[in-house]
Amino acid sequence: VKGGPKLIIGIDPGTTCGLAVLTLGGIPVHVGSRKGMSRGDMIRTLLDLGDPMLIAADVAPPPEFVEKLAKEFEATVYRPEALLTVMEKQEMAREYLKQFDIKVDDSHSRDALVAAIKAFNHYKSKFESVESELATRNLDLPQEEVKALVVKGYSVQRAIESLLPQMRESETAHPVEEEALTEDDLKVRGLRETIAFYKERLEAAAKANER
C-alpha cells in the first residue's frame, strides 16, 4: 500500500543495483547499493520509505527494470536529455554529497544518486512555482499532491485547480478559521510532516529489534 512522503528515485540496475531516494525538496533519505536486488526487493524497500512518484536512470532509453518499477508505482519515468561523462557524474555527486555530509563508496550508488539529482533538478523550478503559487493565493493544499500532478504533466495552475474541489469539500466538512500561510510556513509544514513520518518508521524498527 502506497503512503508517506512523495519520493524521487534514482536507480542504477545491474548485478549490483544502486538506489538513491530523495524527498521532493531534494533531501537524500537513502543512498546505497546491493548485489542481487530483485524488483520485489526494490518495491519493499521503497514502500518502507514512502511513495515513489518519479523514477530515473542515468541513461536513455531507461532500462526495462526502471520502466517496470515505475508501472508498479504508477510513477513517471524521467528520461535524461543528455548523458553525462564519468567525470561529470563524479563532480555532480561530489558536490551533493558534500552538501549533505554523506558518503558513497561505489559507482552504482553514485550513478543512482546522479539519476535522482538530475530528475530533481529538472522539476525543481516547477516545484518552487507550486510553493510560490500556493503561498501567493493563500491555499492550504497539500504541496506534494500538487507537485505529483505537475510531474504527471499538469501545469502548475491546472494541478492546483484540479485539487481545489477536494479542499473546498474538506473546508465544508471541517470549517476552520482562515489563516495566512506564507511560502516559508508551507515549507516548514512539509518538513515537519516528513520528519514525523520517518520518526515513526525509526520507532517501529526499534520496537521490532527489541523483540
Side-chain angles (χ1 to χ4, degrees):
V1 179
K2 295 200 296 182
K6 304 287 185 187
L7 301 172
I8 298 170
I9 313 301
I11 299 174
D12 179 47
T15 305
T16 299
C17 186
L19 173 65
V21 182
L22 310 181
T23 68
L24 297 196
I27 299 170
V29 295
H30 176 90
V31 182
S33 64
R34 181 174 145 194
K35 195 169 184 177
M37 182 177 252
S38 67
R39 198 162 73 249
D41 293 333
M42 180 79 73
I43 289 169
R44 285 187 288 274
T45 298
L46 294 178
L47 284 172
D48 278 342
L49 294 172
D51 181 8
M53 54 169 267
L54 182 60
I55 299 181
D58 70 339
V59 295
E64 185 181 8
F65 185 97
V66 171
E67 295 277 12
K68 287 186 175 180
L69 188 69
K71 284 183 180 178
E72 292 281 353
F73 288 104
E74 298 178 354
T76 298
V77 176
Y78 170 70
R79 296 168 173 81
E81 295 172 1
L83 302 184
L84 300 179
T85 64
V86 172
M87 190 172 294
E88 287 172 328
K89 289 179 185 178
Q90 289 173 339
E91 183 58 28
M92 181 181 285
R94 187 182 300 116
E95 290 179 6
Y96 196 84
L97 295 169
K98 183 179 179 181
Q99 179 184 353
F100 291 99
D101 193 26
I102 54 177
K103 292 183 178 180
V104 164
D105 299 322
D106 63 282
S107 62
H108 306 288
S109 300
R110 181 203 65 202
D111 287 356
L113 178 60
V114 167
I117 294 170
K118 287 190 72 176
F120 168 69
N121 286 341
H122 181 79
Y123 286 97
K124 185 179 179 182
S125 62
K126 290 183 179 179
F127 289 166
E128 290 172 347
S129 294
V130 167
E131 294 166 7
S132 177
E133 187 68 16
L134 290 177
T136 300
R137 294 174 61 179
N138 190 29
L139 294 173
D140 191 16
L141 285 174
Q143 273 189 37
E144 291 199 340
E145 296 297 334
V146 181
K147 292 175 181 178
L149 290 178
V150 168
V151 168
K152 289 183 181 296
Y154 285 57
S155 67
V156 172
Q157 292 294 339
R158 185 180 164 217
I160 290 172
E161 295 302 324
S162 69
L163 291 173
L164 278 177
Q166 295 177 26
M167 185 185 80
R168 289 178 183 133
E169 285 177 12
S170 176
E171 286 176 346
T172 303
H174 306 284
V176 294
E177 188 176 332
E178 190 170 322
E179 177 186 357
L181 293 170
T182 67
E183 190 171 334
D184 286 341
D185 290 334
L186 291 169
K187 284 182 179 178
V188 169
R189 176 181 294 182
L191 284 170
R192 282 176 177 164
E193 289 173 355
T194 300
I195 290 167
F197 174 81
Y198 288 113
K199 186 178 179 183
E200 287 179 9
R201 293 282 183 182
L202 287 170
E203 288 173 352
K207 287 179 182 177
N209 289 334
E210 288 172 1
R211 293 171 187 167

